[in-house]
Amino acid sequence: MGNCATCDDPSIYEHAGEQMRPFKNKPNLDDQENVQQLTQKSKLSQSTVKSQNASFIVQQHIRQDLKKLDSIPDFTNTFTKTLIDQLQPFNYDQNEPFEFKSLPFYGPVEIEPSVFYYGQWKNGFRHGRGKQFWADGSIYEGYWLQDKANGDGRLIHSDGDLYEGKWLNDKAHGFGVYSHKDGAFYKGEWYEDQQHGNGLEKWADGSMFEGTYTNGMKHGHGKFSWPDGSSYVGEFINNNIHGKGHYIWADNREYEGDWKDNQMDGHGVFSWSDGRRYVGGYVNDKKEGYGEFYWPDGRVYKGHWKDGKQHGKGQYKGTNKILKEGEWVDGKLLKWNN
C-alpha cells in the first residue's frame, strides 16, 4: 500500500548470491572534493523535489483564488475574550481518521467577506482540523469534512455562549453541551441544531429539566424542578405539562393525574399536607364533574362539582357518621333531600 520507507530494496534479491559489504569500493581520498560536490548537488536536487511536491499539494488541495494572509484580525469582544481566557485548548481526537495526518495546513485565508480560516484542506475544501473566525467575534474550532463542520467541534458565539460537541454538516448533531454566559446550560442529544433525545437543561434561576426532547421542545417523559422546591414528574408535549404526571408544590400539596396544557384536566388525586384529599374530575385546573372530598376529621362529600365548587346533587357524611343527600349551588348547600 503506497510507498514504504522500510520496504526492502528489490536489488537485494536480484544479487542474493553476492557478498554484502558496507562499501563496495573504498573511496579515493584524492577525489574527496568531487565527492563533496556530488553530495551538495544531490541535496539541492532533493530540496527541489520537496519544493515541487509541496507546490503540487497546495495546487491539488487548496483553492487558488485564496490569498494567504500574514495574520487574522482580532475580532474578539468583551464576551468572547472573557470566555476564551477561561477555556482550555481544544482537544483533538488522537484516533482521528488516518487521512487527516497527510492533509496540508494552509492559511490564514479570507474564504468569504470577513470570514477567515486556518487549517487543513482536501481538494479545495476545508477538511480535517481547522479554525474559523467571523467578524462578529464568533470562532469555530474542530473538524471539517468537505467544507462543513463535522465531528467534534467547539463554537464560541459572539454573545459569549458556547457549544461544544458533535456536528453534522454545520449543525449541532449528536451529544453536545450548550452553555449560556449567564450560567444556564443544556447537556444532551441534538438533531440538526435542535435539542432532540435525552437531555439535562438548567436555567440561571436554578430551574432544571431532565428528560426527553423532540425538535427543541420538552416532549415525552421528564422531571422539572423549580428553585422553590416544587417539582413535576411525568409527561410533556410541546414544552407543556400534558398527559399523566405528579406535581408536588413547595408547601407539600400534591396532585397526581391527568394534565392538559399545564393545567389539571381529567381525573386525578389532590392531597394537602393537613390530610385533606380530593379524588375526581378536573377541568382547567378546577374541580369539575363527579368528585369525592375527604377531610381528616372523617367528613366526606361525594357528588358533583363546577368551577371548583360543590354544585348539583351530592352526599355528605358528617363527623356523626350520618349520611345525607342534598343539593348544592356554587359551593353552598341549597337543601337536604332526606
Side-chain angles (χ1 to χ4, degrees), residues 192-240:
E192 294 187 350
D193 263 351
Q194 293 185 318
Q195 299 149 300
H196 192 91
N198 293 319
L200 170 66
E201 188 169 8
K202 190 172 184 179
W203 287 263
D205 66 357
S207 299
M208 184 171 66
F209 173 79
E210 185 171 10
T212 57
Y213 289 78
T214 298
N215 298 326
M217 293 186 287
K218 295 178 282 292
H219 193 94
H221 190 271
K223 179 179 180 179
F224 201 109
S225 302
W226 285 265
D228 67 354
S230 301
S231 65
Y232 169 82
V233 178
E235 295 176 301
F236 290 79
I237 291 181
N238 297 333
N239 268 347
N240 292 325

Side-chain angles (χ1 to χ4, degrees), residues 283-295:
V283 173
N284 297 330
D285 259 355
K286 295 179 179 180
K287 304 176 191 69
E288 185 91 9
Y290 180 82
E292 301 176 358
F293 198 102
Y294 300 85
W295 284 264

Side-chain angles (χ1 to χ4, degrees), residues 268-319:
V269 178
F270 199 111
S271 59
W272 287 258
S273 59
D274 61 5
R276 288 176 293 161
R277 185 165 62 99
Y278 170 81
V279 181
Y282 278 89
V283 173
N284 297 330
D285 259 355
K286 295 179 179 180
K287 304 176 191 69
E288 185 91 9
Y290 180 82
E292 301 176 358
F293 198 102
Y294 300 85
W295 284 264
D297 60 5
R299 290 177 294 152
V300 178
Y301 169 82
K302 297 181 179 181
H304 293 276
W305 300 74
K306 185 177 181 181
D307 291 331
K309 298 176 182 179
Q310 296 146 300
H311 190 90
K313 293 183 178 181
Q315 294 180 334
Y316 178 82
K317 183 173 68 173
T319 55

Side-chain angles (χ1 to χ4, degrees), residues 54-226:
S55 177
F56 172 75
I57 290 174
V58 169
Q59 293 177 5
Q60 177 188 6
H61 291 297
I62 298 165
R63 284 167 41 190
Q64 298 305 299
D65 62 319
L66 300 176
K67 181 181 178 181
K68 189 174 181 180
L69 307 175
D70 293 332
S71 62
I72 295 176
D74 184 6
F75 295 123
T76 56
N77 57 44
T78 303
F79 300 124
T80 59
K81 190 176 188 313
T82 300
L83 180 57
I84 291 170
D85 290 341
Q86 296 172 351
L87 292 174
Q88 297 293 322
F90 181 75
N91 185 27
Y92 284 97
D93 187 0
Q94 298 304 309
N95 296 318
E96 63 189 13
F98 181 76
E99 69 162 339
F100 292 168
K101 301 183 185 302
S102 61
L103 294 176
F105 283 86
Y106 189 79
V109 294
E110 187 173 11
I111 59 172
E112 56 186 76
S114 300
V115 181
F116 300 84
Y117 174 79
Y118 172 79
Q120 291 181 291
W121 297 81
K122 180 181 180 182
N123 298 330
F125 296 117
R126 290 162 289 177
H127 195 92
R129 299 184 180 192
K131 194 171 185 178
Q132 185 159 297
F133 303 78
W134 286 264
D136 67 357
S138 301
I139 302 172
Y140 171 82
E141 183 173 10
Y143 287 102
W144 300 77
L145 290 177
Q146 296 186 338
D147 247 8
K148 294 183 178 181
N150 274 278
D152 293 318
R154 180 168 71 188
L155 177 62
I156 298 172
H157 291 264
S158 59
D159 61 1
D161 287 356
L162 172 71
Y163 172 79
E164 187 163 6
K166 297 292 184 181
W167 294 79
L168 179 66
N169 297 332
D170 280 342
K171 294 181 178 181
H173 193 94
F175 184 84
V177 180
Y178 191 106
S179 304
H180 297 266
K181 65 177 181 292
D182 64 0
F185 69 87
Y186 169 81
K187 177 170 64 175
E189 297 295 325
W190 295 78
Y191 183 85
E192 294 187 350
D193 263 351
Q194 293 185 318
Q195 299 149 300
H196 192 91
N198 293 319
L200 170 66
E201 188 169 8
K202 190 172 184 179
W203 287 263
D205 66 357
S207 299
M208 184 171 66
F209 173 79
E210 185 171 10
T212 57
Y213 289 78
T214 298
N215 298 326
M217 293 186 287
K218 295 178 282 292
H219 193 94
H221 190 271
K223 179 179 180 179
F224 201 109
S225 302
W226 285 265

